[in-house]
Every structure is written in C-alpha cells, then in structure tokens.
Amino acid sequence: MISQWQLRAAFAARLSDVYGREVPAYTTLVDVSREVNEDVLRAQGADAERLGSIGRVTAERHGAIRVGTPAELGQVARVFGALGMHPVGFYDLREAAAGAVPVVSTAFRPVDGEELARNPFRVFTSLLTPADPRFFDADLRARLENFLAGRELFPPELLALADRAEAERELPEEDAERFLQLAVSAFELSTEPIDRAWYETLEKVSAVAADIGGVRSTHINHLTPRVLDIDELYRRMTERGIEMIDTIQGPPNWKGPDILLRQTSFRALAEPRALRTPDGSVISGALRVRFGEVEARGIAVTREGRALHDRLLGRIDEHLALHPGAERGEVARALWEEHLPGTEQELAAQELAYFTYQVADRRPRDGSRPPATLGELLAQGWVQARPIVYEDFLPRSAAGIFQSNLSGEGSRDNDQEGTAHDAEWLSAAVDREVLDPFALYEQQQNRSLARVARELDLDGPLR
Ligand code: OOG
Ligand code: NI
C-alpha cells in the first residue's frame, strides 16, 4: 500500500521532473538552491536546520496552478485531498494587486506537524473571478463562463481514484501508479492548439485571465524550491546571467530572526505553443506565461505579529513614496531593526510569533519543583522553544510576483463595485472548509504547551 504522504512526495517529485523538462531554467534554479543550501549547512551547522531538516528543505517545493470555475476548484480539492492536502487561507489578489489580477486564491497543503515534516508540498491555487465587473463586462463574462463550462481538466478516472485515496488514506501500488500518471499529466502543458483570437481577447483584460480561460486545460505555472539564503541565491543566479525581478519580496535581510516568507523570481523564456488563427490554420507561436520562483521561509507570526508586519510594509511604501531613490531593502531593514524584537526569545515573550515547546532533556534534576510560568520555565532551562515555520503565503508578495511577470498591465475599471468573495464563499466553492492558518499554528503551539504541562505535572495551563 502507498500512503498519502508517499503519494504526495511522489507527485511532487514527478511534477518537478516534468516541469524541469518543460522549463530548463527551473533545473538551474534547483541546482543553485541546492548548492546554496549545502554551503549554508556547512557554514552554520545545526543552526541551518532550525526551521526544518535539510532533508525536508531540499525536497521542499510549492507549486502554483490556476483554474476557472468553482467546480474545477472543487475537483482540484479532491485531487489534492488524495495527497493529504487541505485548503488553507484565503487570498484576494484582486485587492492586493494594482493591475489586473482577477483571481482569489487558497493554498492546498498538509496541516499537521508530522505530515509537514514528511513532505510539506503545497500548491497555491487561484480561481478566476469572471463575475467581477471591474474586469469583465456582461458579454465577456458570458462567453468566458460558457468556454469554461465546456472543458474538462480532470478525467473521471482520476477523480474516482482521488476519492478512494482520500477516503482510505492510501492506495494499492497499481492504483497509486495510475493515479500519479493521471494526476501529473493533468498539469502538463498541453499541445492542443490555442484559439488565438479568443486568447488575445482575454489578454487585453488580463494576461492571467488569458492563461486560465484562454486554453482548454490547466498547467503548473511555477514550482518553487526553498533556499536557506535567498540573497546569496539572487547573486548567484544573476552571475549566471539569469535576469531576476528587481527585488526580493517580503521582509528584509536583517540580523534578527527571519519571519514569514521572502520570495523572488525570474521570467521564463517564451515557450512554443500551437495557435489556431481565425482562418483555421494552426501556426507555431510563443507564449511567455511561466516563471521561476524561489523562496526562503521564516517563523510563523501571530495575528499581532502579522499586524505589525503589515504596518511596517505600509511604512516602507510611505518612505519610498517620499524618497523614490531609496533602496527598498535598506528602508525595510531600518524599520525592522527599530520595531521588531531581535531574538526568538523576545518574539515568543511578546507573543508575536509561534513556537512549539518541549521539556528539556537536561532540565534541573535536583528534585526542585518547576516554576509555574512559561517565561520562568524557559529562563531556568526546564523547557525549550522551537520556532514554527511559516507554511503559507503573503498576498502582497503573491500579487507582486504575478504582476512583475505579466507582459501587459491589462485593464480594470475601479468605478465598478467588485464582487465580494471571502473565505466562506471559497469554502462553498471547494466544498470543504478553507482553514484559518493562524488557528492551525495556534493549535500546534497549544498542543505542545499542554504536553509540557502534563509531563511536568503542572497545575494550570501555561498560557
Ligand atoms: C501564483 C502567484 C503566487 C506565490 O508564491 O506567492 C505565488 C500564480 O502566479 O499563479 O505563487
Ligand atoms: Ni509561488
């Protein structure tokens, strides 16, 4: 029998092979990431593994896919459900982007600590919003919805196998093999000719809309390795002559603990795609929609920590608006140094970030009773804290990555009222609950605190 985590790991690895064949620069990115990670491990030893074992980090990838209808998203949820991945978080990129990115998104990922440690594969999944009048007028919306209703992204055999794997949490070897073949091929770039006129109609509104609704299949948009030093990676890729976008998105490089997520990307080359012209002939054209992305992950922050982070992002923007020549990284670093605690201990004490707590191996053994508060337990060496790694995404960075890789700006009419979509609406679309990332981190932290209280035989809860 092949268990869900084995299916997930195999799916991620096979998708990586396919994507590497389709987009050779991705292979370079993976190679350079591996080299950087090996160098960081050599230089820092055990500290390099504070946010995940080197085995996990080396294998770690996130993918990005885009679909057109709630029904398609519901099918995606079944395929990823088979792999033990659940929808987490709601991202409204229509609001996060200034340009035309008419999608709302979630991320499918494992949610419990053990499953994440086995293989943390996650997929950022975006759903087109044809009902939003800021992007689509009534006529285009109708044509788009009609086009989407007529396509099939996932064959019934795949969905049936997926449902079985989700219900039984494993598949017999032969069925697992069939499931993996069908699942991987559903995300390969199709060779079917694209209706050029239709594609261009959508492209005028948004390149993202064309990539989703202009073709009769879906494909992996990018696959992102995790790197332990993203500044070094950026330098090495640039040295190799690969043109990166001009910044690393997210928090700055600074001397304190890394929080959340830092990402950067490059635009992939134009890929040959078959196009059908209005007279019916098929020509060989080229589309530039896919890209290479890389990320460094930091500590998951609490709601308070996130509010502080978001305020600081606002301050960066204000500063750059007043001083257009300033360098973003430097502005951000100065703000981080002024406002964010410089140690993990302080992040924990101020409840700005999430940690798991364990009873220390070498706690006092002189028969003394443990103190009653978490602060004292930590200070006196009874308990150790380990940071919880951020497993999710950042809407601002996601929008930035989307936009920096689009060819045209597209168009949007901000005089129109946008259609309201929220986590609840998305839950109905995927037909399962879209989970709240903060609640997941908090549960993980609270469970570890309850275990500590039990093992040390403490009277009350620790927080
Ligand atoms: C998704 C963009 C967002 C990330 O890492 O923030 C993303 C897309 O381009 O489809 O992948
Ligand atoms: Ni991404």
Side-chain angles (χ1 to χ4, degrees):
M1 283 291 180
I2 310 292
S3 64
Q4 281 187 322
W5 84 262
Q6 290 171 314
L7 286 174
R8 180 166 74 249
F11 176 75
R14 289 187 194 197
L15 204 59
S16 183
D17 290 343
V18 166
Y19 194 61
R21 277 197 299 276
E22 292 177 347
V23 180
Y26 162 77
T27 307
T28 308
L29 187 61
V30 168
D31 290 343
V32 177
S33 299
R34 192 185 318 108
E35 287 164 21
V36 169
N37 290 348
E38 283 164 4
D39 291 349
V40 172
L41 188 64
R42 239 189 316 274
Q44 296 184 2
D47 275 357
E49 297 188 281
R50 189 133 180 90
L51 289 170
S53 72
I54 195 69
R56 170 189 155 157
V57 171
T58 305
E60 186 159 341
R61 301 280 186 277
H62 86 246
I65 59 162
R66 306 158 171 186
V67 295
T69 66
E72 288 175 357
L73 186 65
Q75 295 178 344
V76 167
R78 289 160 67 189
V79 173
F80 291 146
L83 306 176
M85 296 155 69
H86 310 273
V88 180
F90 173 79
Y91 305 88
D92 194 338
L93 299 189
R94 301 172 304 163
E95 305 306 330
V101 183
V103 299
V104 294
S105 314
T106 186
F108 289 89
R109 67 167 176 88
V111 295
D112 82 52
E114 235 164 78
E115 284 294 309
L116 286 161
R118 283 177 171 147
N119 185 291
F121 186 58
R122 50 178 96 72
V123 179
F124 191 89
T125 303
S126 299
L127 171 63
L128 191 66
T129 56
D132 194 322
R134 288 173 299 181
F135 308 101
F136 307 97
D137 64 27
D139 174 58
L140 188 56
R141 172 186 176 181
R143 288 170 64 198
L144 183 51
E145 287 178 341
N146 185 43
F147 180 90
L148 292 167
R151 72 181 187 181
E152 178 188 278
L153 301 184
F154 305 102
E157 186 189 357
L158 170 61
L159 296 172
L161 284 167
D163 292 346
R164 242 180 84 199
E166 184 170 13
E168 292 163 20
R169 312 189 66 148
E170 59 186 11
L171 280 179
E173 212 156 310
E174 233 170 82
D175 295 316
E177 181 53 38
R178 181 74 184 147
F179 169 79
L180 286 167
Q181 277 173 15
L182 290 170
V184 170
S185 79
F187 295 105
E188 277 175 41
L189 200 63
S190 161
T191 52
E192 188 185 310
I194 298 167
D195 180 339
R196 190 174 77 183
W198 173 233
Y199 195 94
E200 285 173 354
T201 302
L202 290 172
E203 215 174 13
K204 282 195 202 98
V205 171
S206 155
V208 178
D211 182 46
I212 301 172
V215 295
R216 293 183 44 78
S217 56
T218 187
H219 45 256
I220 182 96
N221 177 274
H222 61 267
L223 209 54
T224 300
R226 179 169 162 197
V227 72
L228 295 172
D229 183 345
I230 198 168
D231 301 282
E232 181 58 23
L233 178 120
Y234 190 97
R235 271 190 292 279
R236 290 193 197 178
M237 290 297 283
T238 309
E239 262 167 36
R240 287 190 179 216
I242 293 178
E243 195 190 328
M244 307 296 284
I245 61 171
D246 55 8
T247 53
I248 295 173
Q249 317 253 349
N253 175 16
W254 77 307
K255 59 184 194 316
D258 286 321
I259 57 163
L260 298 167
L261 178 64
R262 304 181 65 212
Q263 299 178 308
T264 191
S265 69
F266 61 86
R267 265 191 96 173
L269 299 174
E271 295 175 277
R273 305 273 287 268
L275 304 177
R276 190 184 312 282
T277 60
D279 68 11
S281 58
V282 174
I283 59 167
S284 168
L287 294 177
R288 247 167 81 122
V289 289
R290 305 208 287 177
F291 50 88
E293 184 192 48
V294 60
E295 67 190 12
R297 290 192 169 261
I299 308 176
V301 298
T302 60
R303 286 189 175 81
E304 293 71 32
R306 181 55 182 273
L308 174 59
H309 164 270
D310 290 353
R311 272 200 305 282
L312 294 181
L313 282 192
R315 295 273 301 272
I316 299 174
D317 289 346
E318 283 164 24
H319 188 100
L320 290 177
L322 288 172
H323 310 272
E327 207 262 313
R328 183 187 184 273
E330 270 163 38
V331 174
R333 192 169 320 121
L335 281 164
W336 249 243
E337 277 164 14
E338 190 181 341
H339 296 280
L340 224 69
T343 63
E344 284 184 11
Q345 287 80 348
E346 269 307 300
L347 278 177
Q350 295 181 31
E351 298 192 28
L352 290 172
Y354 292 109
F355 293 81
T356 55
Y357 297 91
Q358 293 85 30
V359 174
D361 292 337
R362 279 184 304 186
R363 63 174 191 258
R365 298 276 183 199
D366 55 6
S368 59
R369 285 288 301 152
T373 68
L374 183 58
E376 289 168 314
L377 285 167
L378 288 165
Q380 296 176 25
W382 289 80
V383 168
Q384 286 170 337
R386 272 194 87 85
I388 298 181
V389 65
Y390 188 59
E391 304 286 353
D392 295 288
F393 293 86
L394 293 173
R396 279 267 308 239
S397 306
I401 301 260
F402 256 111
Q403 282 189 296
S404 56
N405 285 291
L406 299 181
S407 34
E409 270 290 283
S411 61
R412 72 187 273 165
D413 176 1
N414 281 325
D415 294 339
Q416 300 278 343
E417 183 76 27
T419 341
H421 291 316
D422 58 12
E424 229 166 278
W425 179 84
L426 203 68
S427 295
V430 283
D431 197 21
R432 51 192 84 198
E433 188 186 352
V434 172
L435 302 167
D436 172 7
F438 291 107
L440 293 173
Y441 297 122
E442 205 169 296
Q443 263 167 29
Q444 211 181 332
Q445 175 170 286
N446 287 345
R447 263 191 246 144
S448 76
L449 286 170
R451 200 175 318 117
V452 166
R454 220 167 35 242
E455 287 177 18
L456 291 179
D457 202 17
L458 303 176
D459 291 336
L462 272 168
R463 203 172 247 171

